[in-house]
Amino acid sequence: MKGKVLKLLRQNDNTFLSGEKISNELNCSRTAVWKHIKALRNEGYDIIAVQNKGYQLTKSAYLLSEHDIYSRIKKNDLFENVVYHNSVTSTQTVAQQLANEGVGEGTVVVADEQTGGKGRLGRVWDSEKGAGVWMSLILKPQIDFRKAPQLTLLTAVAVTRAIESVSGLPLSIKWPNDLLVNGKKLCGILTEMQADPDRVQSVIIGIGLNVNHGGFPDDLSEIATSMNIEAGKPFNRAEVIAAILNEFSWLYRTYLSQGFSLIKPLWEAHAVSIGKKIVARSTAGTTEGYALGIDDEGVLLLQDNQGETHRIYSADIEF
Ligand code: BTN
């Protein structure tokens, strides 16, 4: 209910909304409306009340809250359930635990801070409080486990489209999961799967997006960037999250009904590593050559200097 009050106030940005109108719209008492306004103020929302006029949301600051996210999620989105934490070790771990306990598809775990954020290949993911979008999506797709990497590429497309629409920033995708602006990393995606030999049990997709960082420590400043640094202004993280969930929802539904073939051209339209000479490093070794493209499964095709084509399932790419 608190989220619905916030949604109404936001829809009427810069105008007053009377307590009577809110109570009629939401079918609740004026006292209940006042209680929710008070609770929203306690969360940091700047809501002014003027006699005979009503309430107005003056600024939502850059605070993140469960209700703010809820109030922005579109009606038909896949994600109906938001689990919000101020601070967790890793949203991946929380999401995996929920999935194991039987929580179904359509739940997203969001945190304002991660104290042990996980990156790919066992790396640490720096997750500063209040600065980024640190979230994990719980999925339970009925797909062959070999197809799970396609979901990483689908997520890259969803996040790219969402950020472009919210900020206008031009993003490029570096296979398989890095989103870059001006050659620096803005977002990373970590896909973790639990599967039986014959079916996927759950896929947890972690998204780490640098939003309002004003700068990075010396060791990262050459390779990492944020939406704030690139666009020169901060962004409301709940709006960014809602945009990602909305893009993800339709792409994922399209994928489940029609397969990867419709997602592939969207991914290719943003890919930077394709057609270039690259070095792919993985636990299996290092391969150098030309990135020919991805196949229908989302696997990277790399032609080495002897003309032999390698299928790369997982690696770090340099170009
Ligand atoms: C990468 O190495 O590029 C992937 C980084 C993924 C980071 C995100 S932040 C939300 C989720 N929780 C984690 O601990 N990791 C992922």
Side-chain angles (χ1 to χ4, degrees):
M1 184 59 85
K2 201 163 46 167
K4 286 186 180 162
V5 174
L6 184 60
K7 192 171 197 162
L8 274 182
L9 289 172
R10 190 172 288 121
Q11 280 164 354
N12 293 274
D13 230 6
N14 293 324
T15 53
F16 281 95
L17 199 59
S18 71
E20 189 182 356
K21 190 146 187 229
I22 301 176
S23 69
N24 286 344
E25 291 255 354
L26 301 182
N27 209 6
C28 65
S29 70
R30 300 269 296 270
T31 320
V33 172
W34 170 240
K35 246 179 49 196
H36 294 307
I37 296 277
K38 232 168 99 178
L40 286 168
R41 279 180 174 159
N42 283 341
E43 283 183 19
Y45 291 99
D46 201 355
I47 300 168
I48 49 169
V50 174
Q51 225 176 10
N52 300 328
K53 280 186 160 180
Y55 304 103
Q56 188 185 130
L57 184 65
T58 59
K59 69 170 163 48
S60 60
Y62 295 101
L63 207 84
L64 190 59
S65 81
E66 189 171 345
H67 305 291
D68 199 4
I69 302 166
Y70 264 126
S71 72
R72 291 168 187 272
I73 288 180
K74 296 220 171 102
K75 255 209 172 110
N76 294 324
D77 275 11
L78 179 71
F79 298 93
E80 290 177 334
N81 190 21
V82 179
V83 176
Y84 178 79
H85 291 278
N86 283 322
S87 180
V88 289
T89 311
S90 159
T91 55
Q92 289 295 99
T93 318
V94 176
Q96 189 62 69
Q97 204 166 335
L98 290 172
N100 294 349
E101 285 164 7
V103 166
E105 186 154 275
T107 290
V108 52
V109 180
V110 181
D112 198 33
E113 173 190 47
Q114 295 186 118
T115 53
K118 299 194 281 181
R120 280 176 71 231
L121 309 169
R123 297 190 187 116
V124 169
W125 182 260
D126 193 69
S127 321
E128 186 184 322
K129 184 171 178 57
V133 165
W134 323 127
M135 69 176 177
S136 299
L137 317 179
I138 299 179
L139 303 174
K140 297 199 168 170
Q142 305 282 304
I143 56 170
D144 186 297
F145 73 90
R146 281 169 288 242
K147 292 196 166 154
Q150 294 174 343
L151 293 170
T152 305
L153 305 186
L154 183 155
T155 308
V157 173
V159 179
T160 297
R161 290 171 60 97
I163 296 172
E164 285 185 346
S165 78
V166 169
S167 68
L169 288 170
L171 264 74
S172 43
I173 308 175
K174 186 174 136 194
W175 185 91
N177 71 332
D178 287 354
L179 303 190
L180 313 177
V181 180
N182 291 325
K184 292 185 178 180
K185 185 156 167 173
L186 183 80
C187 176
I189 298 161
L190 176 67
T191 303
E192 294 182 309
M193 173 181 62
Q194 291 226 316
D196 293 333
D198 58 334
R199 74 179 188 104
V200 167
Q201 279 183 349
S202 64
V203 178
I204 310 295
I205 301 205
I207 299 170
L209 171 63
N210 302 328
V211 182
N212 288 333
H213 302 65
F216 288 92
D218 283 352
D219 56 327
L220 287 178
S221 63
E222 286 299 306
I223 51 168
T225 192
S226 74
M227 290 174 69
N228 185 10
I229 293 171
E230 296 299 327
K233 60 173 188 179
F235 290 87
N236 181 307
R237 284 175 295 155
E239 187 187 347
V240 175
I241 291 171
I244 295 173
L245 297 181
N246 183 245
E247 285 290 339
F248 188 92
S249 295
W250 78 263
L251 284 165
Y252 182 64
R253 285 184 176 131
T254 304
Y255 169 76
L256 289 184
S257 61
Q258 296 173 56
F260 188 64
S261 58
L262 285 175
I263 311 297
K264 191 175 169 229
L266 299 177
W267 186 88
E268 285 168 336
H270 283 94
V272 276
S273 27
I274 305 308
K276 294 211 170 107
K277 200 160 182 8
I278 63 166
V279 180
R281 291 180 216 283
S282 72
T283 44
T286 300
T287 319
E288 264 188 73
Y290 278 99
L292 299 174
I294 51 168
D295 69 7
D296 286 342
E297 303 284 287
V299 175
L300 181 68
L301 303 174
L302 179 61
Q303 190 174 56
D304 69 18
N305 299 334
Q306 284 71 46
E308 195 189 332
T309 301
H310 300 255
R311 289 167 60 81
I312 313 281
Y313 289 87
S314 169
D316 262 353
I317 297 294
E318 258 175 52
F319 56 94

